[in-house]
Amino acid sequence: MNPDSDAPHLLVDIRDGVAVLTLNRPERLNALSRPMIDAAIATLERCVDDAAVGCIVVTGAGRGFCAGGDVTAMGAGSAAAELTLEQKVDRQRSIHRVSGLLRAMPKVSIAAINGACAGAGLGIALACDLRVAADTARLTTAFAKVGFSGDFGITWPLVRMLGDAKAKELLLLSEVLSAQQALELGLVNRVLAADALMPSALDIAARIARGPRVAYRYMKQNAEAAATEGYQQLLDREAFTQVYTGTTADHREGVAAFIEKREPRFRGG
């Protein structure tokens, strides 16, 4: 349970094919806690196998998305102080599974960035496939301000999205970006009025949930591979995934819908 209140650290709502995960420590700008992280990992793992879930939306309660690690708790000390270095590293790897799942899971994820998004919170947002931000959102790496090097996978997408020099600038200087600046850099896909953020995010998520899920799965895998594989390797990979998705019922439905000039009714197989 939440030590700050009686509310759980993570709220989960699944409806119309969309799982909404709400980080729920608004009094701390949704700073990460172990209960929140454990609940998020367990929920994402369930979503992978749940046929009722076609898309995942991650957002924050109140005025923040996620302020990253709980610096106040760090200052107070914790049981982790008694762990060996190896045990601490293993613990860190275990909590990084949040970002790992969002990045590698076959289902599409969307970060609805409703406010402050910093440090590990930015790492989690960047692990999602799409990011939509309220026009009031602010984004920052933040790690340098507390003497950390960065975690939750933040370095990988920053370098690939922005290049070496700009990624280092954001990490080293920890400057705060407005939502519009983040959009211009390509860190977010869309910027929306604050009151339109969740309706728009849910609309996009519902559209994806109704889409060809097998094709989406391989689109994610191909995009991931493109960061490290050569062009010829990607051509070979696409040869397989294109032929394979061409055997699905969703492909046949898409072709039929095109010929009949109607919207396709995908079933996810």
Side-chain angles (χ1 to χ4, degrees):
M1 299 299 291
N2 188 337
D4 310 308
S5 72
D6 293 329
H9 285 200
L10 183 77
L11 304 178
V12 181
D13 181 35
I14 300 176
R15 66 180 71 183
D16 300 326
V18 178
V20 179
L21 281 60
T22 303
L23 310 179
N24 190 42
R25 299 180 76 203
E27 69 287 342
R28 304 263 182 111
L29 290 178
N30 304 312
L32 297 172
S33 68
R34 191 62 199 234
M36 181 191 289
I37 292 168
D38 288 344
I41 291 170
T43 301
L44 291 172
E45 287 176 337
R46 288 197 304 272
C47 286
V48 169
D49 298 321
D50 189 347
V53 176
C55 187
I56 295 95
V57 174
V58 182
T59 192
R63 60 190 181 89
F65 175 77
C66 177
D70 191 336
V71 179
T72 301
M74 294 174 198
S78 69
E82 303 303 319
L83 300 177
T84 66
L85 176 61
E86 289 78 9
Q87 288 171 326
K88 290 177 181 178
V89 172
D90 287 342
R91 180 178 182 274
Q92 194 71 15
R93 286 176 175 149
S94 73
I95 64 177
H96 283 178
R97 186 155 171 74
V98 173
S99 292
L101 280 165
L102 288 167
R103 190 86 195 183
M105 69 191 304
K107 297 179 180 179
V108 176
S109 57
I110 301 171
I113 305 171
N114 54 304
C117 180
L122 180 56
I124 290 170
L126 292 176
C128 292
D129 299 301
L130 299 172
R131 284 159 295 286
V132 293
D135 54 9
T136 54
R138 296 293 182 268
L139 297 81
T140 179
T141 60
F143 292 106
K145 293 182 178 178
V146 288
F148 274 139
S149 59
D151 63 359
F152 280 80
I154 194 169
T155 311
W156 195 95
L158 280 180
V159 170
R160 282 158 180 77
M161 294 167 76
L162 306 179
D164 178 76
K166 193 65 179 182
K168 285 178 179 176
E169 176 187 330
L170 295 188
L171 289 166
L172 296 171
L173 302 184
S174 291
E175 292 176 341
V176 178
L177 302 175
S178 68
Q180 186 59 39
Q181 288 173 313
L183 179 66
E184 291 168 0
L185 287 173
L187 289 178
V188 301
N189 300 93
R190 298 181 186 181
V191 173
L192 303 155
D195 59 358
L197 177 68
M198 283 309 294
S200 296
L202 293 174
D203 182 65
I204 295 169
R207 175 180 172 184
I208 290 171
R210 294 191 301 267
R213 297 184 187 178
V214 177
Y216 289 159
R217 174 185 193 136
Y218 286 105
M219 285 177 188
K220 283 191 62 167
Q221 288 185 9
N222 290 348
E224 190 83 2
T228 56
E229 293 184 0
Y231 185 70
Q232 187 59 51
Q233 287 177 291
L234 253 295
L235 285 177
D236 291 341
R237 176 184 292 275
E238 287 183 350
F240 170 78
T241 60
Q242 185 78 347
V243 171
Y244 180 78
T245 53
T247 68
T248 63
D250 277 350
H251 168 69
R252 292 191 293 274
E253 165 60 16
V255 171
F258 179 84
I259 293 171
E260 297 165 14
K261 295 181 173 56
R262 60 173 173 81
E263 288 297 313
R265 296 183 290 273
F266 295 121
R267 304 298 181 193

